[in-house]
Amino acid sequence: MTPPPPPQKVDDSILVLDESLRPAACGLAARLRAAGRSVDIQLEGGKKIKAGIKAAERAGAARLLLVGGDEWARGAVAVRDLAAFEQAEVAVEALVAGAEGV
């Protein structure tokens, strides 16, 4: 019997909270990947945050980035550190430039 493959590990999992922000979330994922981060994106709009957290944990993500209307209008996303259970709003440009946020 062969052992199961090791779990997939990603740096960031992006959860789209507003369907209209799908293109923006995909753009953010592309920018983070270009900066060298491993990114998983959850495009199912309307998904509850709790379900998004569980999906991010299954993917082995260190952080969950919540792309929602209010934060996005301010040029930011909510960043949840899945190990520390902390969340903070971080400017998109700072996130892409390598700022860790939470």
Side-chain angles (χ1 to χ4, degrees):
M1 178 175 207
T2 59
Q8 177 185 3
K9 297 287 184 188
V10 296
D11 296 315
D12 302 312
S13 182
I14 298 175
L15 177 61
V16 180
L17 299 176
D18 182 334
E19 282 288 328
S20 68
L21 293 175
R22 274 180 145 197
C26 289
L28 175 59
R31 291 178 68 193
L32 289 169
R33 288 176 182 140
R37 297 192 65 85
S38 174
V39 180
D40 171 57
I41 186 164
Q42 303 176 46
L43 292 174
E44 307 86 18
K47 191 179 221 182
K48 296 191 186 243
I49 293 174
K50 188 172 184 178
I53 291 170
K54 289 194 181 296
E57 288 172 340
R58 279 192 303 274
R63 302 184 302 183
L64 177 64
L65 311 181
L66 304 166
V67 179
D70 293 340
E71 293 87 355
W72 194 259
R74 292 190 294 271
V77 295
V79 178
R80 180 172 289 200
D81 181 317
L82 295 173
F85 304 106
E86 296 177 359
Q87 182 171 316
E89 188 171 300
V90 178
V92 171
E93 293 307 316
L95 194 62
V96 172
E100 287 302 313
V102 178

